[in-house]
Amino acid sequence: MTTTASLPTSIDATLSLLQSQGYVADRALATVLFLALRMKRPLLLEGEAGTGKTEIAKVLASGLGRRLIRLQCYEGLDLASAVYEWNYAGQMMAIRLAEAGGIAGDRERLESDLFSERYLVKRPLLQALEPQEGGAPILLIDELDRTDEAFEAFLLEVLADAQVTIPELGTIKAAEPPIVILTSNRTREIHDALKRRCLYHWVGYPDAARELAILKAKAPGAPAKLAKQIVSFVQAIRKEELFKAPGVAETLDWASALVELDAVALDPAIVSDTLGALLKYQDDIQAMQGSKVGELLDQAKQAARG
Ligand SMILES: Nc1ncnc2c1ncn2[C@@H]1O[C@H](COP(=O)(O)OP(=O)(O)OP(=O)(O)O)[C@@H](O)[C@H]1O
Ligand SMILES: [Mg+2]
């Protein structure tokens, strides 16, 4: 559903906007998001994998009824994939047709036609500068840490001026700059110059109460007792020495797996059989098998009762 809503006018309104889209935020996140919207600053979200960074941009777009434009970053991302490129095949065809039609003589007209919007392939950054129905779009620049520093420097320029220059066409400037959300898994540090432009928030693992609320919102099929035990177990396992601790995404996956198996409560056998939904490294799974599962389960059940 896309209905256009105006920007939230308070932290509480921001919280309920997120809540209305099934996103359970804590106050610190709602505050920084509210400020980013008010101050028209990009928001840089860093944090562990699967903690709901990407999801924030998605729910913001659906909650505000704005278009979501996503730039997925990767090593080697270049301007042709991020901003624009010319439709070379289309241009070649136009030249051939002009030649065949004997109108190739009008070179100037042909050239200006070849480098017009007609043959311009707009990539996410350029799309984000164009007016959209419902207001400025949400521009999600996802996993920025995967690109190189040269791209980051270019991005900084685009964000600062909300414009890009295409030599053959001129400068395209956004009438209303996009709402920008950047995410990073921190495989490398984002440059200070970019950070300076942004508001920053670290998205950590949720505490037990919030994780339970997330579970209720996203996996309503899980019986209440099971949900509590799942959360307590995940909270306990995150305290262990693991190569990769489970994120919220894994908690939700695990809950779905357990519901599929008609579990109503955790026991050592079912936990051992389904650990693969929670832990994704064989070393971690091995370390948690056997008596360790029982130990964590006792802890979790005690916490779930309390
Ligand atoms: N606070 C939350 N409220 C509701 N759902 C959440 C929340 N946090 C995470 N989720 C759910 O967890 C899943 C993973 O979230 P998401 O993909 O946004 O994580 P991420 O931080 O971007 O991870 P990665 O770093 O791996 O890209 C999604 O299905 C999302 O709906
Ligand atoms: Mg993500």
Side-chain angles (χ1 to χ4, degrees), residues 53-55 70 142-143 183 185:
K53 301 182 296 297
T54 301
E55 184 79 0
R70 180 176 188 165
D142 214 9
E143 308 189 351
T183 81
N185 275 7

Side-chain angles (χ1 to χ4, degrees), residues 8 13 24 40-42 64-65 76 113 155 158 174 190 192 213 252 256 276 284:
V24 189
K40 303 199 182 308
R41 296 279 287 276
L64 294 175
D113 184 46
L155 202 55
V158 176
I190 303 303
D192 278 348
L252 294 174
S256 317
D284 286 347

Side-chain angles (χ1 to χ4, degrees), residues 22-25 29 47-56 58 142-143 183-185 203 206 210 214 217-218 248-250 252:
Y23 193 95
V24 189
L29 172 60
E48 308 289 349
T51 49
K53 301 182 296 297
T54 301
E55 184 79 0
I56 290 172
K58 293 186 186 167
D142 214 9
E143 308 189 351
T183 81
S184 162
N185 275 7
V203 185
R210 194 156 67 87
I214 296 170
K218 287 294 177 71
V248 176
E250 281 75 23
L252 294 174

Side-chain angles (χ1 to χ4, degrees), residues 24 28 37-38 45 81 104 117 143 145 153 161 176 214 264 266 283:
V24 189
L37 293 171
R38 284 299 267 222
L45 300 169
S81 311
E117 279 210 53
E143 308 189 351
D145 51 330
D161 307 332
E176 196 190 343
I214 296 170
V264 287
L266 295 182
D283 289 352

Side-chain angles (χ1 to χ4, degrees), residues 5-255:
S6 48
L7 297 180
T9 51
S10 66
I11 298 168
D12 285 322
T14 311
L15 268 173
S16 41
L17 176 80
L18 296 173
Q19 184 84 50
S20 75
Q21 304 298 312
Y23 193 95
V24 189
D26 58 10
R27 210 170 169 82
L29 172 60
T31 304
V32 76
L33 184 58
F34 168 67
L35 288 174
L37 293 171
R38 284 299 267 222
M39 297 162 67
K40 303 199 182 308
R41 296 279 287 276
L43 176 59
L44 171 60
L45 300 169
E46 278 190 332
E48 308 289 349
T51 49
K53 301 182 296 297
T54 301
E55 184 79 0
I56 290 172
K58 293 186 186 167
V59 297
L60 195 61
S62 58
L64 294 175
R66 308 282 183 114
R67 179 165 170 213
L68 176 71
I69 297 174
R70 180 176 188 165
L71 176 66
Q72 176 64 50
C73 298
Y74 52 86
E75 212 182 311
L77 174 63
D78 60 0
L79 299 191
S81 311
V83 193
Y84 75 94
E85 65 185 324
W86 291 105
N87 175 358
Y88 184 68
Q91 288 172 324
M92 290 311 285
M93 183 66 86
I95 292 171
R96 291 265 164 79
L97 286 173
E99 277 170 358
I103 51 171
D106 195 351
R107 273 187 60 177
E108 248 169 58
R109 217 185 102 199
L110 179 61
E111 198 176 324
S112 74
D113 184 46
L114 287 178
F115 292 103
S116 65
E117 279 210 53
R118 193 164 162 200
Y119 297 103
L120 186 67
V121 184
K122 296 170 184 171
R123 302 296 187 202
L125 284 183
L126 188 54
Q127 289 172 18
L129 299 178
E130 298 193 309
Q132 305 285 339
E133 215 179 309
I138 312 294
L139 172 62
L140 166 63
I141 300 173
D142 214 9
E143 308 189 351
L144 178 64
D145 51 330
R146 294 207 203 169
T147 61
D148 53 32
E149 301 201 351
F151 186 81
E152 215 184 284
F154 166 77
L155 202 55
L156 191 64
E157 247 180 73
V158 176
L159 293 184
D161 307 332
Q163 66 176 41
V164 293
T165 298
I166 301 174
E168 301 88 346
L169 265 188
T171 298
I172 297 177
K173 186 171 173 63
E176 196 190 343
I179 296 168
V180 183
I181 308 269
L182 302 115
T183 81
S184 162
N185 275 7
R186 220 179 172 192
T187 54
R188 69 169 174 86
E189 280 298 328
I190 303 303
H191 223 268
D192 278 348
L194 190 97
K195 282 190 174 168
R196 212 175 302 127
R197 284 211 62 78
C198 303
L199 297 185
Y200 175 87
H201 185 73
W202 175 264
V203 185
Y205 297 120
D207 62 15
R210 194 156 67 87
E211 194 154 25
L212 190 60
I214 296 170
L215 205 54
K216 276 190 184 147
K218 287 294 177 71
K225 180 177 161 197
L226 178 69
K228 264 189 145 180
Q229 290 183 353
I230 289 172
V231 168
S232 303
F233 189 89
V234 174
Q235 295 272 331
I237 210 170
R238 282 198 192 117
K239 296 200 181 93
E240 297 294 316
E241 283 279 331
L242 293 172
F243 185 67
K244 169 74 187 69
V248 176
E250 281 75 23
T251 310
L252 294 174
D253 268 355
W254 194 36

